[in-house]
Structures are given as C-alpha cells and as structure tokens.
Amino acid sequence: GRRGGCDSLWDGTGWECGSHSVTDPCCCHILRQFVDFATVMLRNGHYSENSGSGSDSPGCGRRYLRVWCDGCYDMVHYGHANQLRQARAMGDYLVVGVHTDEEIAKHKGPPVFTQEERYKMVRAIKWVDEIVEGAPYVTTLETLDQYNCAFCVHGDDITLTVDGKDTYQEVKTAGRYRECHRTQGVSTTDLVGRMLLMTKAHHTNIEKNSDYQKHTDNFGKGPKGRSPWTGVSQFLQTSQKIIQFASGKEPSPGDTIIYVAGAFDLFHIGHVDFLEKVYKLAEKPYIIAGLHFDQEVNRYKGKNYPIMNIHERTLSVLACRYVSEVVIGAPYAVTADLLDHFKIDLVCHGITEVIPDKDGSDPYAEPKNRGIFHTVDSYSSLTTDIIVQRIIRNRLEFEARNQKKEAKELAVLEALKKQQKNAVAEEQNGIREQEVQDI
C-alpha cells in the first residue's frame, strides 16, 4: 500500500520510498517506528485521510495515530486515569470503550455505578478524546478496525471473561496490543474495603492498626492464596506523578480565575457535574480546586472520611478536564490572602450545607464581602455518602465478586507457571540432545 504524504511503498519485505531513502527524515522514520504493526495498520486504513478528528500532526503526511482502551471504569479513580494518561501518550487520539452494566454483571459481578454514570466519568478525564458506549467485553480486531485504532492499550494485569479466557488474546496474537504500568496502591477492591472497614487508617499521618492490616492481607483473598493483580498495596505519592497529572498551564490574560474548595472524596459524578457547571460560568475559565487536608475533612464530615487521602484526592481532581490547578491542603476558610495570592475573580460552592469553621465563623465570609461568591446547583443528587451506602448495602455481593475474580486470576497464573515450566524443560531436553549429537 502507498503511504499518504510521500511515495513510501510496502513491497511485502520492507519500505521503498520514491522521494526519500530509509535513512532520511520526514515520514519514513515514522513508518520504521511502528514497523511491527505497520502492515496491519496500512491494510486496515489506520493512516487514512479520515484518521483522527483533528488536523495533521507535524511531519510529512503523518496522520493522527488512534489508540483504543476499554474497561468497566467502575468507581473511577486515579489508577484508571493514569492508565488512560499512559495510553494517550502512545498516540495522538484516545478512544475509550466502556462496558454496559449487563456485560460487567455477567463477567465480574454487579458494578457500583450505572453505565450512564460511568460514561460521564470517563468523558471527564482530560486524556480521553472520545468514548464508545457499550463496548464489547472481549476486545477484537473488528472493534479496533471499526474505530480506526492502530492498537489496544491495557495495564499489566489480566482481564478474564466469565469462563476464564483472556479478553485481549485476539489483539495480542495479532500484535495490536500494548501494555502500560498498573498504578500501585489503588484498586476498587481497596476502596471498597476502606468503606466497609470504617477505620481512619488510610488517612495520612495515621498509624495503620491491626484491623486495617488484616483487611489489606485478607480482603478479597480466596482460599488458594493471593493473586498479584487483586489486592491492596500502599500508594506512595511522588513529585513526578503530580507533574505527570498537572497541566502546567498558568492563567492567561483574560482568563476568569475561579476558586472552588472541598474534600472531593471518591471523585464522582456529583463533583464532575458541579465542576462542569462552574466551567461554563466564564468564556475562558481557569479553575483552581482547593483540597482540604484529611484531618480537616474528618472534622467536618466525621466517621472515617475522607475515604481517599489527600495525595490520592489530588491526582483524582487533577485528572479532571475542567480543573487547571489544585491547592494541596487548602485552608478551610477562604481568606483574603488566598484570594489575593491567586488573583481570584469568583468563588463557587454547591448547594450543600456549608459547615462553619472551628471558631463558628463562615468560611466564605471574605468572598461574600467582596461580592464574588456564587452558589452553583449541579442538579446531581449523588454524594460520597450515597456511594458508601451502595457499597455497604451490597457488601456480600462485592466480597463474593472479589473472591471470584481472584480465583480466576489464580487459575490463569497457575497455567502460566506450568507453561513456563514446560518451556524450560523442553529447552533443557533440546540442550541435552544437542550435547549427545556433538559427542
């Protein structure tokens, strides 16, 4: 096939170019970069004139490289966002398929969020260019071709169907599969466990007690041991991770700088709806989200809140396409110093009750005095409390789901070990036979 933009031609064994040698710059180096799946891509038109939904990328005739991701994206957290960030970095345009409630229930168990809620959450992640509602649970070449995607990206864990088959086997075999690193220290399993356990051990600067340790050791663990893909590990925040998530964009002249503050715990649809409404208040919005420290959140929310600690909440909010900047450990009261430092034009809060500060004062007194306070109704009834209630109400189902998931993963792990052991044995036998022949 001929490559758009120059005279590159695939002859079945290599690239020939009428206008450039293979060592020249321009589009030929792009072809070499993707040589392992170039034949498939060209055959299926992945560099066609209609590829992507934007203008051409820099380079002679190069078109957008479309990348596919799919998943349940239930209880979307910064681990999901980090996977999508890595996938987006592998191409120019990211298409994300989200499974239906029916498909998830069939293969994994009941999802926490409805499909409509999950669609909206994935759309709100800033690295996502397009979503496909009701994507099939098993990823096929037909799906990749239908959406003009060069390859599929998934984390370095395993996803299985109800009968224990790898959902990505077909695209792996075809060489149209790429892996990204799984984010350590977060999983839906762990978040569900924190809600059920009702301790504060997941907060920063709090020593992990024996109950929490027992939870991390046993939650979702089947009778035959622990799967390396299901379970609980510790999240360690780094400056590099914050840099990867942050936009790095400063306010521009003419921007309306809007400040919002809160816990933003278990970042969910209610938060997304609120931030979207705030975003639409200005022609050029620059939203700064102030996140309160764990102990402050626990003061005004009580129980074992926040479910996510300050480091986790920071990444969750930074992943939202409506947020430009995050203040980590913002003061509860919106002070004159804060307003002046960030040159705030508008301060917004939802219609939920505003809890007084420790001294009984209104934390929004200063912006109200300046006439820049605005109440925003998101028209969403979902709250962190409601999410926790959903989990607790279905506790036994969720625990059974995790144990079922882990049992399937362990079976696959055992099969992989056996396959590896057989391969080593065959190799050793081959060496012995060669030695005998040499003698």
Side-chain angles (χ1 to χ4, degrees):
R2 199 169 292 279
R3 170 70 164 80
C6 77
D7 297 322
S8 299
L9 187 68
W10 177 255
D11 66 0
T13 58
W15 289 102
E16 294 181 356
C17 181
S19 55
H20 313 285
S21 74
V22 294
T23 56
D24 282 341
C26 194
C27 60
C28 297
H29 76 283
I30 297 168
L31 301 178
R32 291 200 308 275
Q33 182 180 357
F34 302 118
V35 68
D36 57 334
F37 56 89
T39 312
V40 178
M41 288 165 61
L42 286 170
R43 186 179 65 237
N44 293 317
H46 297 299
Y47 278 123
S48 67
E49 292 297 323
N50 297 321
S51 182
S53 63
S55 59
D56 291 358
S57 295
C60 175
R62 185 184 172 219
R63 301 295 181 180
Y64 270 24
L65 178 65
R66 291 167 64 95
V67 178
W68 174 272
C69 276
D70 56 29
C72 303
Y73 300 104
D74 193 24
M75 287 185 65
V76 171
H77 49 66
Y78 60 91
H80 295 118
N82 193 38
Q83 179 225 2
L84 296 173
R85 178 191 67 79
Q86 293 178 77
R88 181 63 173 76
M90 295 182 190
D92 303 297
Y93 190 87
L94 180 61
V95 183
V96 181
V98 184
H99 310 317
T100 62
D101 296 343
E102 183 181 4
E103 282 281 271
I104 296 171
K106 174 184 174 183
H107 294 281
K108 291 183 69 173
V112 177
F113 289 94
T114 67
Q115 59 198 42
E116 294 303 324
E117 290 170 335
R118 292 182 289 107
Y119 297 154
K120 182 175 284 189
M121 280 302 296
V122 175
R123 279 195 183 95
I125 296 174
K126 63 186 178 184
W127 297 289
V128 175
D129 296 299
E130 176 185 339
I131 83 154
V132 173
E133 299 180 0
Y137 198 80
V138 175
T139 308
T140 64
L141 295 174
E142 182 183 359
T143 298
L144 296 189
D145 291 343
Q146 181 181 352
Y147 294 98
N148 205 23
C149 293
F151 55 84
C152 167
V153 178
H154 186 65
D156 50 6
D157 55 342
I158 192 164
T159 303
L160 304 171
T161 61
V162 66
D163 52 359
K165 295 179 180 177
D166 185 349
T167 58
Y168 296 101
Q169 192 56 56
E170 183 176 324
V171 291
K172 285 179 180 178
T173 301
R176 293 173 66 181
Y177 175 85
R178 300 291 177 272
E179 254 179 24
C180 60
H181 296 297
R182 185 172 182 263
T183 306
Q184 291 298 313
V186 63
S187 67
T188 304
T189 302
D190 185 27
L191 295 177
V192 169
R194 294 182 196 183
M195 297 177 216
L196 299 179
L197 200 60
M198 295 299 287
T199 76
K200 302 176 188 177
H202 52 278
H203 294 174
T204 53
N205 303 320
I206 292 183
E207 187 177 349
K208 305 297 185 274
N209 60 26
S210 58
D211 287 339
Y212 186 78
Q213 191 57 52
K214 184 178 179 182
H215 151 67
T216 60
D217 289 342
N218 295 323
F219 189 79
K221 183 176 180 180
K224 295 185 178 180
R226 164 142 322 279
S227 160
W229 302 300
T230 297
V232 179
S233 59
Q234 185 181 8
F235 171 67
L236 299 174
Q237 181 69 287
T238 64
S239 58
Q240 182 63 29
K241 187 62 65 185
I242 293 176
I243 290 169
Q244 289 171 343
F245 272 60
S247 67
K249 177 179 173 288
E250 296 284 338
S252 302
D255 283 357
T256 300
I257 303 176
I258 307 174
Y259 182 75
V260 297
F264 293 99
D265 193 18
L266 288 177
F267 195 75
H268 54 70
I269 295 300
H271 299 132
V272 169
D273 286 338
F274 168 71
L275 290 168
E276 184 181 15
K277 292 287 192 303
V278 171
Y279 190 85
K280 291 178 178 178
L281 292 175
E283 186 177 340
K284 293 177 61 183
Y286 185 94
I287 298 178
I288 300 175
L291 268 61
H292 303 142
F293 278 129
D294 298 341
Q295 287 72 23
E296 187 67 61
V297 175
N298 189 250
R299 177 189 70 82
Y300 62 79
K301 286 191 68 79
K303 299 179 183 176
N304 66 331
Y305 292 118
I307 302 300
M308 283 183 159
N309 66 46
I310 183 68
H311 305 306
E312 298 169 317
R313 292 184 283 121
T314 296
L315 295 184
S316 296
V317 176
L318 280 173
C320 179
R321 64 173 68 251
Y322 304 117
V323 176
S324 300
E325 182 63 284
V326 166
V327 180
I328 304 171
Y332 187 66
V334 183
T335 62
D337 286 344
L338 185 148
L339 295 174
D340 294 340
H341 177 80
F342 292 107
K343 298 179 174 59
I344 305 298
D345 298 307
L346 190 64
V347 176
C348 295
H349 189 273
I351 61 171
T352 54
E353 179 189 5
V354 176
I355 306 297
D357 206 346
K358 297 183 188 73
D359 59 3
S361 62
D362 181 357
Y364 291 96
E366 182 62 27
K368 286 177 180 178
N369 290 337
R370 296 189 184 194
I372 61 171
F373 181 80
H374 187 72
T375 301
V376 175
D377 189 348
S378 68
Y379 299 101
S380 174
S381 59
L382 188 65
T383 64
T384 304
D385 277 329
I386 290 173
I387 296 170
V388 173
Q389 287 166 16
R390 286 186 191 180
I391 296 292
I392 292 174
R393 189 167 57 244
N394 298 291
R395 174 174 185 163
L396 293 178
E397 280 189 89
F398 288 120
E399 288 182 344
R401 178 181 75 172
N402 284 324
Q403 291 186 1
K404 179 182 175 183
K405 177 175 179 281
E406 185 158 36
K408 287 195 294 183
E409 290 172 350
L410 284 169
V412 170
L413 186 64
E414 193 63 34
L416 290 173
K417 286 180 179 177
K418 186 175 180 180
Q419 188 180 43
Q420 188 177 23
K421 185 178 178 181
N422 290 340
V424 171
E426 287 178 9
E427 184 178 357
Q428 290 175 343
N429 288 336
I431 292 171
R432 290 193 194 98
E433 288 175 4
Q434 185 64 45
E435 289 173 346
V436 170
Q437 289 175 6
D438 292 342
I439 292 171

